[in-house]
Amino acid sequence: TIAVEYAKYRAHYWRVELFLDCVADDGSKYVEQSEIVTQEPAKLDDLNDLVRATWDELTASVNPKHIRGRRWVAKIVKGHERRSKA
């Protein structure tokens, strides 16, 4: 799509949210998540190593037998969205 082509070739600030959908041994469901917010503009292809390393850290934080699914959302963010909301 046009949006993907736009994101692919131009550098942007990004927010990437990663989620692991898990089920514990007792059947209870839980979600582990991590968020990446780039500090400098980056092209979509430049995020690969960062996302892969974050997936590895997130996966290592749970019992691998509990993982039932993985999801992620990548969003281009504007300057005001990067500011702390504290």
Coordinates of all heavy atoms in Angstrom, one line a residue:
T1 N 0.8 -1.2 0.0 CA 0.0 0.0 0.0 C 0.9 1.2 0.0 O 2.1 1.2 0.3 CB -0.9 0.0 1.2 OG1 -0.1 0.1 2.4 CG2 -1.8 -1.2 1.3
I2 N 0.3 2.4 -0.2 CA 1.0 3.6 -0.2 C 1.6 3.9 1.1 O 2.7 4.4 1.2 CB 0.1 4.8 -0.7 CG1 -0.4 4.6 -2.1 CG2 0.7 6.1 -0.5 CD1 -1.4 5.5 -2.6
A3 N 0.9 3.6 2.2 CA 1.4 3.9 3.5 C 2.6 3.1 3.8 O 3.6 3.6 4.4 CB 0.3 3.6 4.6
V4 N 2.7 1.9 3.4 CA 3.8 1.0 3.7 C 5.0 1.6 2.9 O 6.1 1.7 3.4 CB 3.6 -0.4 3.3 CG1 4.8 -1.3 3.4 CG2 2.5 -1.0 4.3
E5 N 4.8 1.9 1.6 CA 5.9 2.5 0.8 C 6.4 3.8 1.4 O 7.6 4.0 1.4 CB 5.4 2.7 -0.6 CG 5.1 1.4 -1.4 CD 6.3 0.5 -1.5 OE1 7.4 1.0 -1.8 OE2 6.2 -0.7 -1.1
Y6 N 5.5 4.6 1.9 CA 5.9 5.9 2.5 C 6.8 5.6 3.8 O 7.8 6.2 3.9 CB 4.6 6.6 2.9 CG 4.9 7.9 3.7 CD1 5.3 9.1 3.1 CD2 4.6 7.9 5.1 CE1 5.5 10.2 3.8 CE2 4.8 9.1 5.8 CZ 5.3 10.2 5.1 OH 5.5 11.4 5.9
A7 N 6.3 4.7 4.6 CA 7.1 4.3 5.8 C 8.4 3.7 5.5 O 9.4 3.8 6.2 CB 6.2 3.4 6.7
K8 N 8.5 2.9 4.4 CA 9.6 2.1 4.1 C 10.8 3.0 3.7 O 12.0 2.7 4.1 CB 9.3 1.1 3.0 CG 10.3 0.1 2.8 CD 9.7 -0.9 1.8 CE 10.6 -2.1 1.6 NZ 10.1 -3.1 0.7
Y9 N 10.6 4.0 3.0 CA 11.7 4.8 2.4 C 12.0 6.1 3.0 O 13.0 6.7 2.7 CB 11.4 5.0 0.9 CG 11.3 3.7 0.1 CD1 10.1 3.3 -0.4 CD2 12.4 2.9 -0.1 CE1 10.0 2.1 -1.1 CE2 12.4 1.7 -0.7 CZ 11.2 1.3 -1.2 OH 11.1 0.1 -1.9
R10 N 11.2 6.5 4.0 CA 11.5 7.7 4.7 C 11.8 7.4 6.2 O 11.2 6.5 6.7 CB 10.3 8.7 4.6 CG 10.1 9.0 3.1 CD 9.3 10.3 2.9 NE 9.8 11.4 3.7 CZ 9.1 12.5 3.9 NH1 7.9 12.6 3.5 NH2 9.6 13.5 4.6
A11 N 12.6 8.2 6.8 CA 12.9 8.0 8.2 C 11.8 8.7 9.1 O 11.3 9.8 8.8 CB 14.3 8.6 8.6
H12 N 11.4 8.0 10.1 CA 10.3 8.5 11.0 C 10.7 8.1 12.5 O 11.5 7.3 12.7 CB 9.0 7.8 10.7 CG 8.5 8.0 9.3 ND1 8.0 9.2 8.9 CD2 8.6 7.2 8.2 CE1 7.7 9.1 7.6 NE2 8.0 7.9 7.2
Y13 N 10.0 8.7 13.4 CA 10.0 8.3 14.8 C 9.0 7.2 14.9 O 7.9 7.2 14.3 CB 9.7 9.4 15.8 CG 10.7 10.4 15.9 CD1 10.7 11.6 15.1 CD2 11.8 10.3 16.7 CE1 11.7 12.6 15.2 CE2 12.8 11.2 16.8 CZ 12.7 12.4 16.1 OH 13.7 13.3 16.2
W14 N 9.3 6.1 15.6 CA 8.5 4.9 15.7 C 8.1 4.6 17.1 O 8.9 4.7 18.0 CB 9.2 3.7 15.1 CG 9.4 3.8 13.6 CD1 10.5 4.3 13.0 CD2 8.5 3.4 12.6 NE1 10.3 4.3 11.6 CE2 9.1 3.7 11.4 CE3 7.2 2.8 12.6 CZ2 8.5 3.4 10.1 CZ3 6.7 2.5 11.4 CH2 7.3 2.8 10.2
R15 N 6.9 4.0 17.3 CA 6.5 3.3 18.5 C 6.2 1.9 18.1 O 5.3 1.7 17.2 CB 5.4 4.0 19.2 CG 4.8 3.2 20.4 CD 3.7 3.9 21.2 NE 4.4 4.9 22.0 CZ 4.1 6.2 21.9 NH1 3.2 6.6 21.1 NH2 4.7 7.1 22.7
V16 N 6.8 0.9 18.6 CA 6.6 -0.5 18.3 C 6.2 -1.2 19.6 O 6.9 -1.1 20.6 CB 7.8 -1.2 17.7 CG1 7.4 -2.6 17.3 CG2 8.3 -0.4 16.5
E17 N 5.0 -1.8 19.6 CA 4.5 -2.5 20.8 C 4.6 -4.0 20.5 O 4.0 -4.4 19.4 CB 3.1 -2.1 21.2 CG 3.1 -0.6 21.6 CD 1.7 -0.2 21.9 OE1 1.2 -0.5 23.0 OE2 1.1 0.5 21.0
L18 N 5.2 -4.8 21.3 CA 5.3 -6.2 21.1 C 4.5 -6.9 22.2 O 4.6 -6.6 23.4 CB 6.8 -6.7 21.2 CG 7.7 -5.9 20.3 CD1 9.1 -6.2 20.6 CD2 7.4 -6.2 18.8
F19 N 3.8 -8.0 21.9 CA 3.0 -8.7 22.9 C 3.2 -10.2 22.7 O 3.2 -10.7 21.6 CB 1.5 -8.4 22.6 CG 1.1 -7.0 22.6 CD1 1.1 -6.2 21.5 CD2 0.7 -6.4 23.8 CE1 0.8 -4.9 21.5 CE2 0.4 -5.0 23.8 CZ 0.4 -4.3 22.7
L20 N 3.2 -10.9 23.9 CA 3.2 -12.3 23.9 C 1.9 -12.7 24.6 O 1.7 -12.3 25.8 CB 4.4 -12.9 24.7 CG 5.8 -12.7 24.1 CD1 6.8 -13.3 25.1 CD2 5.9 -13.4 22.8
D21 N 1.1 -13.5 24.0 CA -0.1 -14.1 24.6 C 0.3 -15.4 25.2 O 0.8 -16.3 24.5 CB -1.2 -14.2 23.5 CG -1.6 -12.9 22.9 OD1 -1.8 -11.9 23.7 OD2 -1.8 -12.8 21.7
C22 N 0.0 -15.6 26.5 CA 0.5 -16.7 27.2 C -0.6 -17.4 28.0 O -1.6 -16.8 28.3 CB 1.6 -16.3 28.2 SG 3.0 -15.6 27.4
V23 N -0.4 -18.7 28.2 CA -1.3 -19.5 29.1 C -0.4 -20.2 30.1 O 0.4 -21.0 29.7 CB -2.2 -20.5 28.3 CG1 -3.1 -21.3 29.2 CG2 -3.0 -19.7 27.3
A24 N -0.7 -19.9 31.4 CA 0.1 -20.6 32.5 C -0.3 -22.0 32.6 O -1.3 -22.5 32.1 CB -0.1 -19.8 33.8
D25 N 0.5 -22.8 33.4 CA 0.2 -24.2 33.6 C -1.2 -24.4 34.2 O -1.8 -25.5 34.0 CB 1.3 -24.8 34.5 CG 2.7 -24.8 33.8 OD1 2.7 -24.9 32.6 OD2 3.7 -24.8 34.5
D26 N -1.6 -23.5 35.0 CA -3.0 -23.6 35.6 C -4.1 -23.2 34.8 O -5.3 -23.2 35.2 CB -3.0 -22.9 37.0 CG -2.9 -21.3 36.8 OD1 -2.8 -20.9 35.7 OD2 -2.8 -20.6 37.8
G27 N -3.8 -22.8 33.5 CA -4.8 -22.4 32.5 C -5.1 -20.9 32.5 O -5.9 -20.4 31.7
S28 N -4.5 -20.1 33.4 CA -4.8 -18.7 33.4 C -4.0 -18.0 32.3 O -2.9 -18.4 31.9 CB -4.4 -18.1 34.8 OG -3.0 -18.3 35.0
K29 N -4.7 -17.0 31.7 CA -4.1 -16.3 30.6 C -3.4 -15.0 31.0 O -3.9 -14.4 32.0 CB -5.2 -16.0 29.5 CG -5.8 -17.2 28.9 CD -6.9 -16.8 28.0 CE -7.5 -18.1 27.4 NZ -8.6 -17.8 26.4
Y30 N -2.3 -14.7 30.4 CA -1.6 -13.4 30.7 C -0.9 -12.9 29.4 O -0.7 -13.7 28.5 CB -0.7 -13.6 31.9 CG 0.5 -14.5 31.7 CD1 1.7 -14.0 31.3 CD2 0.4 -15.9 31.8 CE1 2.8 -14.8 31.1 CE2 1.4 -16.7 31.7 CZ 2.7 -16.2 31.3 OH 3.8 -17.0 31.2
V31 N -0.6 -11.7 29.4 CA 0.1 -11.0 28.3 C 1.3 -10.3 28.8 O 1.2 -9.6 29.8 CB -0.8 -10.0 27.6 CG1 -0.1 -9.2 26.5 CG2 -2.1 -10.6 27.0
E32 N 2.4 -10.6 28.2 CA 3.7 -9.9 28.5 C 3.9 -8.9 27.3 O 3.6 -9.3 26.2 CB 4.8 -10.8 28.6 CG 4.8 -11.7 29.8 CD 5.0 -10.9 31.1 OE1 5.8 -9.9 31.1 OE2 4.4 -11.3 32.1
Q33 N 4.3 -7.7 27.6 CA 4.5 -6.8 26.5 C 5.7 -5.9 26.7 O 6.3 -5.8 27.8 CB 3.3 -5.9 26.4 CG 3.1 -4.9 27.5 CD 1.8 -4.1 27.3 OE1 0.7 -4.6 27.3 NE2 2.0 -2.8 27.1
S34 N 6.2 -5.3 25.6 CA 7.3 -4.4 25.6 C 7.1 -3.4 24.6 O 6.4 -3.6 23.6 CB 8.6 -5.2 25.3 OG 9.7 -4.3 25.5
E35 N 7.6 -2.2 24.8 CA 7.5 -1.1 23.9 C 8.8 -0.5 23.5 O 9.7 -0.4 24.3 CB 6.6 0.0 24.5 CG 6.3 1.2 23.6 CD 5.5 2.2 24.3 OE1 6.0 3.0 25.1 OE2 4.3 2.3 24.0
I36 N 9.0 -0.2 22.2 CA 10.1 0.5 21.7 C 9.7 1.8 21.2 O 8.7 1.9 20.4 CB 10.8 -0.3 20.5 CG1 11.1 -1.7 20.9 CG2 11.9 0.4 19.9 CD1 11.4 -2.6 19.8
V37 N 10.4 2.9 21.6 CA 10.1 4.2 21.0 C 11.5 4.7 20.5 O 12.4 4.9 21.4 CB 9.5 5.2 22.0 CG1 9.3 6.5 21.4 CG2 8.2 4.6 22.6
T38 N 11.6 5.0 19.2 CA 12.9 5.4 18.7 C 13.2 6.8 19.2 O 12.3 7.7 19.3 CB 13.0 5.3 17.2 OG1 12.0 6.1 16.6 CG2 12.8 3.9 16.7
Q39 N 14.5 7.1 19.5 CA 14.9 8.4 19.9 C 15.3 9.3 18.7 O 15.5 10.5 18.9 CB 16.1 8.3 20.9 CG 15.7 7.5 22.2 CD 14.5 8.1 22.9 OE1 14.5 9.3 23.2 NE2 13.5 7.3 23.2
E40 N 15.6 8.6 17.6 CA 15.9 9.3 16.4 C 15.1 8.8 15.2 O 14.6 7.6 15.3 CB 17.4 9.1 16.0 CG 18.4 9.6 17.1 CD 19.8 9.3 16.7 OE1 20.1 8.8 15.6 OE2 20.7 9.6 17.6
P41 N 14.9 9.6 14.2 CA 14.2 9.0 13.0 C 14.9 7.8 12.5 O 16.1 7.7 12.4 CB 14.2 10.2 12.0 CG 14.4 11.4 12.8 CD 15.3 11.0 14.0
A42 N 14.1 6.8 12.1 CA 14.7 5.6 11.5 C 13.8 5.1 10.4 O 12.6 5.3 10.4 CB 14.7 4.5 12.6
K43 N 14.4 4.4 9.4 CA 13.6 3.8 8.4 C 13.1 2.5 8.9 O 13.7 1.9 9.8 CB 14.5 3.6 7.1 CG 14.9 4.9 6.4 CD 15.7 4.6 5.2 CE 16.1 5.9 4.5 NZ 16.9 5.6 3.4
L44 N 12.0 2.0 8.3 CA 11.4 0.8 8.7 C 12.4 -0.4 8.8 O 12.5 -1.1 9.7 CB 10.2 0.4 7.8 CG 9.3 -0.7 8.2 CD1 8.7 -0.5 9.5 CD2 8.2 -0.9 7.1
D45 N 13.2 -0.5 7.7 CA 14.2 -1.6 7.7 C 15.2 -1.5 8.8 O 15.8 -2.5 9.2 CB 14.9 -1.6 6.3 CG 14.0 -2.1 5.2 OD1 13.0 -2.7 5.5 OD2 14.3 -1.8 4.0
D46 N 15.5 -0.3 9.3 CA 16.5 -0.1 10.4 C 16.0 -0.7 11.7 O 16.7 -0.8 12.7 CB 16.9 1.3 10.5 CG 17.5 1.9 9.3 OD1 18.1 1.1 8.5 OD2 17.5 3.1 9.0
L47 N 14.7 -0.9 11.8 CA 14.1 -1.4 13.1 C 14.3 -2.9 13.3 O 14.1 -3.4 14.4 CB 12.6 -1.1 13.1 CG 12.3 0.4 13.2 CD1 10.7 0.5 13.1 CD2 12.8 1.1 14.4
N48 N 14.7 -3.6 12.3 CA 14.7 -5.1 12.3 C 15.5 -5.6 13.5 O 15.0 -6.5 14.3 CB 15.2 -5.7 11.0 CG 14.2 -5.6 9.9 OD1 13.0 -5.5 10.2 ND2 14.7 -5.6 8.7
D49 N 16.8 -5.2 13.6 CA 17.6 -5.7 14.7 C 17.1 -5.3 16.1 O 17.1 -6.1 17.0 CB 19.1 -5.2 14.5 CG 19.7 -5.8 13.3 OD1 19.3 -6.9 12.8 OD2 20.7 -5.2 12.8
L50 N 16.6 -4.1 16.2 CA 16.1 -3.7 17.5 C 14.8 -4.5 17.9 O 14.7 -4.9 19.0 CB 15.7 -2.2 17.4 CG 15.2 -1.5 18.7 CD1 16.2 -1.6 19.8 CD2 14.9 0.0 18.4
V51 N 13.9 -4.7 16.9 CA 12.7 -5.5 17.2 C 13.1 -6.9 17.5 O 12.6 -7.5 18.5 CB 11.7 -5.4 16.0 CG1 10.6 -6.4 16.2 CG2 11.2 -4.0 15.9
R52 N 14.0 -7.5 16.8 CA 14.4 -8.9 17.0 C 15.1 -9.0 18.4 O 14.7 -10.0 19.2 CB 15.5 -9.3 16.0 CG 15.8 -10.8 16.1 CD 16.6 -11.3 14.9 NE 15.7 -11.4 13.8 CZ 15.9 -10.8 12.6 NH1 17.0 -10.1 12.4 NH2 15.1 -11.0 11.6
A53 N 15.9 -8.1 18.8 CA 16.5 -8.2 20.2 C 15.5 -8.0 21.3 O 15.5 -8.7 22.3 CB 17.6 -7.1 20.3
T54 N 14.5 -7.1 21.0 CA 13.4 -6.9 22.0 C 12.5 -8.2 22.1 O 12.1 -8.6 23.2 CB 12.6 -5.7 21.7 OG1 13.5 -4.6 21.6 CG2 11.6 -5.4 22.8
W55 N 12.2 -8.8 21.0 CA 11.5 -10.1 21.0 C 12.2 -11.1 21.8 O 11.7 -11.9 22.6 CB 11.3 -10.7 19.6 CG 10.1 -10.2 18.9 CD1 10.0 -9.7 17.6 CD2 8.7 -10.4 19.3 NE1 8.7 -9.5 17.3 CE2 7.9 -9.9 18.3 CE3 8.1 -10.8 20.5 CZ2 6.5 -9.8 18.4 CZ3 6.7 -10.8 20.5 CH2 5.9 -10.3 19.5
D56 N 13.6 -11.2 21.6 CA 14.4 -12.2 22.3 C 14.3 -12.0 23.9 O 14.1 -12.9 24.6 CB 15.8 -12.2 21.9 CG 16.0 -12.7 20.4 OD1 15.0 -13.4 19.9 OD2 17.0 -12.5 19.8
E57 N 14.4 -10.7 24.3 CA 14.4 -10.3 25.7 C 13.0 -10.7 26.3 O 12.9 -11.2 27.3 CB 14.6 -8.9 25.9 CG 16.1 -8.5 25.7 CD 16.3 -7.0 25.8 OE1 15.4 -6.3 26.3 OE2 17.3 -6.5 25.3
L58 N 11.9 -10.3 25.5 CA 10.6 -10.5 26.0 C 10.3 -12.0 26.1 O 9.7 -12.5 27.1 CB 9.6 -9.9 25.0 CG 8.1 -9.8 25.4 CD1 7.9 -9.1 26.8 CD2 7.3 -9.2 24.3
T59 N 10.7 -12.8 25.1 CA 10.5 -14.2 25.1 C 11.3 -14.9 26.3 O 10.8 -15.8 26.9 CB 11.0 -14.9 23.8 OG1 10.2 -14.3 22.7 CG2 10.7 -16.3 23.7
A60 N 12.5 -14.4 26.6 CA 13.3 -14.9 27.7 C 12.7 -14.6 29.0 O 13.0 -15.3 30.0 CB 14.7 -14.4 27.6
S61 N 11.7 -13.7 29.1 CA 11.1 -13.3 30.4 C 10.0 -14.2 30.8 O 9.4 -14.0 31.9 CB 10.7 -11.8 30.3 OG 9.5 -11.7 29.5
V62 N 9.6 -15.1 29.9 CA 8.4 -16.0 30.3 C 8.8 -17.5 30.0 O 9.8 -17.7 29.3 CB 7.2 -15.7 29.5 CG1 6.7 -14.3 29.7 CG2 7.4 -15.9 28.0
N63 N 8.1 -18.4 30.6 CA 8.2 -19.8 30.3 C 7.9 -20.0 28.8 O 6.7 -19.7 28.4 CB 7.3 -20.6 31.2 CG 7.5 -22.1 31.0 OD1 7.9 -22.6 30.0 ND2 7.2 -22.8 32.1
P64 N 8.8 -20.5 28.0 CA 8.5 -20.7 26.6 C 7.3 -21.6 26.3 O 6.7 -21.5 25.3 CB 9.8 -21.2 26.0 CG 10.7 -21.6 27.1 CD 10.2 -20.9 28.3
K65 N 7.0 -22.5 27.2 CA 5.9 -23.4 27.0 C 4.5 -22.7 27.2 O 3.5 -23.2 26.8 CB 6.0 -24.6 28.0 CG 7.1 -25.5 27.8 CD 7.2 -26.6 28.8 CE 8.4 -27.5 28.6 NZ 8.5 -28.5 29.6
H66 N 4.6 -21.5 27.8 CA 3.4 -20.7 28.0 C 2.9 -19.9 26.8 O 1.8 -19.5 26.7 CB 3.5 -19.7 29.2 CG 3.6 -20.4 30.5 ND1 3.7 -19.7 31.7 CD2 3.6 -21.7 30.9 CE1 3.8 -20.5 32.7 NE2 3.7 -21.7 32.2
I67 N 3.9 -19.7 25.9 CA 3.6 -18.8 24.7 C 2.6 -19.4 23.7 O 2.9 -20.5 23.3 CB 4.9 -18.4 24.0 CG1 5.8 -17.6 25.0 CG2 4.6 -17.5 22.8 CD1 7.2 -17.4 24.4
R68 N 1.5 -18.7 23.5 CA 0.5 -19.2 22.5 C 0.4 -18.3 21.3 O -0.1 -18.7 20.3 CB -0.9 -19.2 23.2 CG -0.9 -20.2 24.4 CD -0.8 -21.6 23.9 NE -0.9 -22.6 25.0 CZ 0.0 -23.1 25.7 NH1 1.3 -22.8 25.4 NH2 -0.2 -24.0 26.7
G69 N 0.9 -17.1 21.4 CA 0.9 -16.2 20.2 C 1.7 -15.0 20.4 O 2.1 -14.7 21.5
R70 N 2.1 -14.4 19.3 CA 2.9 -13.2 19.3 C 2.1 -12.1 18.5 O 1.6 -12.5 17.4 CB 4.3 -13.4 18.7 CG 5.1 -14.4 19.4 CD 6.3 -14.7 18.6 NE 7.1 -15.8 19.2 CZ 8.2 -15.6 19.9 NH1 8.7 -14.5 20.0 NH2 8.8 -16.7 20.4
R71 N 2.2 -10.9 18.9 CA 1.6 -9.8 18.1 C 2.5 -8.6 18.2 O 3.2 -8.4 19.2 CB 0.2 -9.4 18.6 CG -0.7 -10.4 19.2 CD -2.0 -9.9 19.7 NE -2.0 -9.9 21.1 CZ -2.4 -8.9 21.9 NH1 -2.9 -7.8 21.4 NH2 -2.4 -9.0 23.2
W72 N 2.3 -7.7 17.3 CA 3.0 -6.4 17.3 C 2.3 -5.4 16.6 O 1.5 -5.7 15.7 CB 4.5 -6.6 16.8 CG 4.6 -7.0 15.4 CD1 4.6 -8.3 14.9 CD2 4.6 -6.2 14.2 NE1 4.6 -8.3 13.6 CE2 4.7 -7.0 13.1 CE3 4.7 -4.8 14.0 CZ2 4.8 -6.5 11.8 CZ3 4.7 -4.3 12.7 CH2 4.8 -5.2 11.7
V73 N 2.5 -4.1 16.9 CA 2.0 -3.0 16.3 C 3.1 -2.0 16.1 O 3.8 -1.6 17.1 CB 0.8 -2.4 17.1 CG1 0.3 -1.1 16.4 CG2 -0.3 -3.4 17.4
A74 N 3.3 -1.5 14.9 CA 4.3 -0.4 14.7 C 3.5 0.8 14.2 O 2.6 0.7 13.3 CB 5.3 -0.9 13.6
K75 N 3.9 1.9 14.8 CA 3.2 3.2 14.5 C 4.2 4.3 14.3 O 5.1 4.4 15.1 CB 2.2 3.5 15.6 CG 1.5 4.8 15.4 CD 0.6 5.0 16.7 CE -0.1 6.4 16.6 NZ -0.8 6.7 17.8
I76 N 4.0 5.1 13.3 CA 4.8 6.3 13.1 C 4.2 7.3 14.1 O 3.0 7.5 14.2 CB 4.7 6.9 11.7 CG1 5.3 5.9 10.7 CG2 5.4 8.2 11.6 CD1 5.1 6.3 9.3
V77 N 5.1 8.0 14.9 CA 4.6 8.9 15.9 C 5.1 10.3 15.6 O 6.2 10.5 15.0 CB 5.1 8.5 17.3 CG1 4.4 7.3 17.8 CG2 6.6 8.4 17.5
K78 N 4.4 11.3 16.0 CA 4.7 12.7 15.8 C 5.5 13.2 17.0 O 5.5 12.5 18.0 CB 3.5 13.5 15.5 CG 2.7 13.1 14.3 CD 1.5 14.0 14.1 CE 0.7 13.8 12.8 NZ 0.6 12.5 12.3
G79 N 6.1 14.3 16.9 CA 6.9 14.8 18.0 C 6.2 14.9 19.3 O 6.7 14.5 20.4
H80 N 5.0 15.4 19.3 CA 4.3 15.6 20.6 C 3.9 14.3 21.2 O 3.7 14.2 22.4 CB 3.1 16.5 20.4 CG 2.0 15.8 19.6 ND1 2.0 15.8 18.2 CD2 0.9 15.2 20.0 CE1 0.9 15.2 17.8 NE2 0.2 14.8 18.8
E81 N 3.8 13.2 20.4 CA 3.5 11.9 21.0 C 4.7 11.2 21.7 O 4.5 10.2 22.4 CB 2.9 11.0 19.9 CG 1.6 11.4 19.3 CD 1.2 10.6 18.1 OE1 1.8 10.6 17.1 OE2 0.2 9.9 18.3
R82 N 5.9 11.7 21.4 CA 7.1 11.1 22.0 C 7.3 11.6 23.4 O 8.1 11.1 24.1 CB 8.3 11.3 21.1 CG 8.2 10.6 19.8 CD 9.5 10.7 19.0 NE 10.2 11.9 19.1 CZ 10.1 13.0 18.3 NH1 9.2 12.9 17.4 NH2 10.8 14.1 18.5
R83 N 6.8 12.8 23.7 CA 7.0 13.4 25.0 C 6.5 12.6 26.1 O 5.4 11.9 26.0 CB 6.4 14.8 25.0 CG 7.1 15.7 24.0 CD 6.7 17.2 24.3 NE 7.1 17.9 23.1 CZ 6.3 18.5 22.3 NH1 5.0 18.4 22.4 NH2 6.8 19.2 21.3
S84 N 7.1 12.7 27.2 CA 6.6 11.9 28.4 C 5.3 12.5 28.9 O 5.1 13.7 28.8 CB 7.7 12.1 29.6 OG 7.1 11.6 30.7
K85 N 4.4 11.6 29.3 CA 3.1 12.0 29.8 C 3.1 12.1 31.3 O 2.0 12.2 31.9 CB 2.1 11.0 29.3 CG 1.9 11.0 27.8 CD 0.9 10.1 27.3 CE 0.8 10.1 25.8 NZ -0.1 9.1 25.3
A86 N 4.2 12.1 31.9 CA 4.3 12.1 33.4 C 4.0 13.5 33.9 O 4.1 14.5 33.3 CB 5.7 11.7 33.8

